[in-house]
Amino acid sequence: MDAQGRGRAEDIDPADQWVLNPHTGEYELRPPPSAPQSRIPGPRGATPAPPSTPSAPGREVPPPRRRRSAPEEPPPGRRGRRRPAKKKSKGKKVLLWTVGTMAFVVLATGAAGYLYLQHLNDNIQSLPDDGAGTGGFRKDEAINILVIGTDKRTGLGNEGYGDTGSAGHADTTILLHIAKDRSNATALSIPRDLIVDIPDCPTTQEDGTTEVIPGSTGVRFNNSLGQNGRTPSCTMRTVTELTGVTPDNFMVADFNAVKTLTSAIGGVEVCLAKDIKDPDSHLDLPKGEHTIKGEDALAFVRTRHSVGFGGDLSRIELQQQFLSSLMRKLKSNDTLTSPTKMVKLAEAATEALTVDSKLDSIGKLKDLGLELGKLNTKNLTFATVPVRDNPAEPKPVTVVLQEGPAQQVFDMIKNDVSFTEVKKKESEKEKKEKAAVAARLKGEKSDPSEIRVRILNGGAPGGSASQELRYLQNEAGVTKSENAGNADAEIAKTTLEYAPDQADQARALAEILGLSGAAMKPGESVTNAQGLPTMTLTLGKDFKEAGAKLNAPAEVPEGAKKSTADKVECAK
């Protein structure tokens, strides 16, 4: 049934079919005109009143206080005197939740769907995360949501697309990272043809038992879902092993989700730099701007042979353009001020998507939408894991990581570093401190052989100081270094303390270790075993392993192919 046909007359706005219960604070479905009018629950012990006697003309006689008849609900399309104020207040909240949509309709429509909580809760499908996630996102922490688009062909009209027997692989996968301060977000696309190792996956079966599905080495990433009975929880484990980032929750969408959600908002605007006619995806559109929905929208996000280099990486760029446009449409007044679109969106999203069991209610989706509502579109970055052609294949079809750039991208997400420049108001004091931090990295640098440093373990795993010492002496050329044991207290971030006359040594060591200016602490030197002044490197809880860069870089590597959601791009 269409969302507009649920409990409404043909010419009545769907939003008027939901009335506020003052005792619960929730909206409830208004009974149809033919049904007896129900009384909103009142205080326990209240006595139903008999029918009131008509008052004389021109005189209004109030009924007795304790035997008042139950107030009738106004007929559809009409409001009592007080109700508009209630509706306005609630409407503002709904718009706030909806602003949290960003590029991923599922998050936004779940929040907007709060208008009819129980009905949408019944629509939501969920699967166990099998302990692969963090246990669910937290409002006071950075958020990581794994969004998975499958190639499963179930649903009306989808049987003609490609592999009709697909079990539903991880065809399109995006790790959505929302910064702790909500100032920015990164949507990192993981290519389906990326060669990865899939770990063993404990998986809940239909009968409630748990079966460990054996892992695979050197296979395509999309095999992490569907293959051998793997569920989204296995995709979560694969992403964690690949990136070092553990997702909080997952969301899964099939072909129908793209069709129904784009139709619900009246279509998404896309731009083509050339004519595209792709017999595989069924997309046939001339050059220029178009508003697409339904089958055309699905064809657009599936197209790969007619854009770019004709592979999956080109399709990822197309999908990122589509999601950027979708996000802009969702945040436009055309969508936010339309109750009809809001109802359709909520209905379509909850029926077309599957979430993990830690995110299986409208209330939880609403909370997530509120967090996302704090973001600005210009600070939502779409990026792709840096990859290169698989050298093991004569005619490469699959890809492998560009180890250096890929690790930089993963580190930026783990360390909550924005992919865009987020401008914030700064006091004069903050500006001076920021300039001082930046200045610590500028200037002359000593040769590694001249660096004198002692290493303390201040919260890193046991043996880390010894391991880092071996790395510095044997691989980095810092031969004048020594292990000084454990620090007096644990620290969260690795620091390097140095005296003013050791600044050139400090800059050189910071470059070797990947330390930021904030990790460099001007202070005092100490004496080493030879009685010479030396710096102090204290390894904090952020220490990964010997030789690994200790702080994420501030710039996105070129291989990530960065774009932001506020910019309109045309498919080439």
Side-chain angles (χ1 to χ4, degrees):
M1 178 184 292
D2 184 87
Q4 292 178 271
R6 297 180 185 273
R8 61 158 289 181
E10 290 302 321
D11 57 347
I12 303 300
D13 192 309
D16 286 340
Q17 299 307 301
W18 301 91
V19 295
L20 182 68
N21 183 330
H23 300 287
T24 65
E26 304 292 351
Y27 276 89
E28 299 174 353
L29 182 63
R30 183 196 305 282
S34 60
Q37 294 294 328
S38 61
R39 184 171 185 265
I40 295 176
R44 185 176 299 176
T47 305
S52 60
T53 303
S55 60
R59 183 182 180 192
E60 185 173 334
V61 182
R65 288 189 180 184
R66 298 181 65 83
R67 299 182 60 82
R68 181 170 56 190
S69 60
E72 283 193 349
E73 294 289 351
R78 296 176 59 187
R79 302 281 182 178
R81 288 186 178 182
R82 293 185 181 181
R83 200 173 303 283
K86 294 278 187 180
K87 180 174 182 290
K88 181 178 179 181
S89 175
K90 202 71 175 179
K92 288 182 178 179
K93 292 181 181 179
V94 174
L95 293 184
L96 175 61
W97 295 331
T98 308
V99 170
T101 58
M102 300 308 297
F104 305 96
V105 179
V106 55
L107 305 180
T109 53
Y114 188 65
L115 284 171
Y116 48 131
L117 178 69
Q118 189 56 51
H119 169 65
L120 295 185
N121 275 335
D122 292 341
N123 280 353
I124 296 174
Q125 299 180 48
S126 66
L127 289 170
D129 72 351
D130 297 315
T134 63
F137 78 92
R138 292 177 54 184
K139 296 181 182 179
D140 57 347
E141 297 292 342
I143 299 173
N144 295 293
I145 306 295
L146 190 64
V147 183
I148 307 169
T150 76
D151 59 358
K152 198 169 185 178
R153 268 65 174 171
T154 55
L156 183 63
N158 296 326
E159 61 277 354
Y161 293 115
D163 180 12
T164 57
S166 174
H169 298 98
D171 203 45
T172 299
T173 304
I174 295 174
L175 178 61
L176 174 63
H177 172 82
I178 303 100
K180 182 176 181 179
D181 64 3
R182 309 298 185 251
S183 66
N184 64 92
T186 302
L188 182 66
S189 293
I190 302 174
R192 68 169 194 177
D193 295 328
L194 174 63
I195 296 299
V196 298
D197 293 337
I198 299 175
D200 293 343
C201 297
T203 306
T204 302
Q205 305 301 301
E206 291 185 3
D207 61 2
T209 61
T210 298
E211 177 184 337
V212 177
I213 300 176
S216 302
T217 301
V219 296
R220 297 188 190 201
F221 176 85
N222 70 341
N223 286 342
S224 65
L225 177 65
Q227 198 79 5
N228 302 325
R230 294 181 177 121
T231 66
S233 68
C234 194
T235 307
M236 291 181 87
R237 294 184 193 278
T238 305
V239 167
T240 300
E241 184 158 305
L242 174 69
T243 67
V245 178
T246 302
D248 298 304
N249 303 96
F250 69 72
M251 297 179 176
V252 183
D254 59 15
F255 283 1
N256 276 347
V258 177
K259 294 194 292 187
T260 58
L261 293 171
T262 53
S263 296
I265 59 173
V268 173
E269 292 74 28
V270 296
C271 176
L272 304 183
K274 63 179 182 180
D275 297 346
I276 294 181
K277 188 171 184 178
D278 189 335
D280 292 316
S281 71
H282 304 174
L283 181 65
D284 187 358
L285 291 175
K287 174 183 177 180
E289 297 181 355
H290 303 273
T291 298
I292 58 175
K293 60 183 179 180
E295 295 289 347
D296 285 340
L298 178 59
F300 186 88
V301 298
R302 292 187 65 246
T303 293
R304 56 174 173 148
H305 297 304
S306 301
V307 292
F309 295 105
D312 186 51
L313 296 180
S314 297
R315 183 175 64 168
I316 285 176
E317 292 184 37
L318 199 70
Q319 290 171 345
Q320 291 175 345
Q321 293 165 17
F322 176 84
L323 289 171
S324 295
S325 179
L326 180 58
M327 184 208 64
R328 294 192 296 271
K329 180 64 177 286
L330 287 167
K331 296 196 73 173
S332 70
N333 288 334
D334 181 50
T335 299
L336 296 178
T337 59
S338 172
T340 299
K341 288 182 179 179
M342 290 294 92
V343 171
K344 285 184 175 181
L345 276 168
E347 199 76 31
T350 53
E351 288 182 349
L353 299 150
T354 300
V355 299
D356 71 87
S357 53
K358 304 296 192 303
L359 197 62
D360 61 354
S361 73
I362 294 301
K364 294 175 184 177
L365 287 169
K366 178 263 296 181
D367 289 341
L368 184 55
L370 285 170
E371 297 305 309
L372 289 169
K374 302 169 185 177
L375 290 167
N376 188 312
T377 58
K378 68 180 181 180
N379 293 327
L380 170 61
T381 305
F382 287 95
T384 305
V385 174
V387 296
R388 58 189 177 90
D389 288 340
N390 188 351
E393 296 176 346
K395 294 183 178 180
V397 175
T398 59
V399 293
V400 296
L401 288 180
Q402 289 187 43
E403 291 293 346
Q407 191 58 54
Q408 288 182 16
V409 169
F410 301 153
D411 285 346
M412 290 183 73
I413 292 177
K414 283 188 288 186
N415 291 306
D416 204 20
V417 177
S418 176
F419 279 47
T420 59
E421 183 178 355
V422 181
K423 294 184 179 180
K424 300 178 182 179
K425 292 184 178 179
E426 297 178 332
S427 65
E428 288 301 318
K429 181 180 178 181
E430 290 174 328
K431 289 180 181 178
K432 290 180 180 179
E433 290 177 349
K434 185 176 181 180
V437 166
R440 292 171 194 166
L441 294 171
K442 297 179 180 179
E444 296 294 328
K445 299 181 181 68
S446 299
D447 186 90
S449 63
E450 299 175 357
I451 297 173
R452 291 191 298 272
V453 62
R454 66 170 188 159
I455 306 169
L456 293 173
N457 190 330
S464 293
S466 298
Q467 295 169 14
E468 186 71 355
L469 177 65
R470 285 195 293 271
Y471 165 74
L472 289 176
Q473 291 186 340
N474 299 330
E475 297 185 44
V478 184
T479 55
K480 298 176 182 178
S481 50
E482 63 183 38
N483 185 351
N486 293 325
D488 293 335
E490 293 188 352
I491 58 175
K493 299 287 186 179
T494 297
T495 62
L496 174 63
E497 185 176 0
Y498 59 97
D501 60 352
Q502 296 172 318
D504 53 350
Q505 293 184 43
R507 284 189 287 268
L509 186 59
E511 184 176 64
I512 293 170
L513 300 178
L515 287 174
S516 66
M520 299 169 65
K521 306 295 182 183
E524 298 179 354
S525 64
V526 294
T527 303
N528 66 8
Q530 287 75 40
L532 299 173
T534 184
M535 302 182 294
T536 300
L537 175 67
T538 305
L539 304 179
K541 294 179 181 178
D542 62 335
F543 180 82
K544 306 173 187 67
E545 60 182 6
K549 298 297 183 181
L550 289 163
N551 289 287
E555 296 184 1
V556 184
E558 292 184 5
K561 297 182 179 179
K562 183 185 74 171
S563 65
T564 52
D566 61 323
K567 296 179 180 178
V568 178
E569 298 186 30
C570 296
K572 300 178 181 179

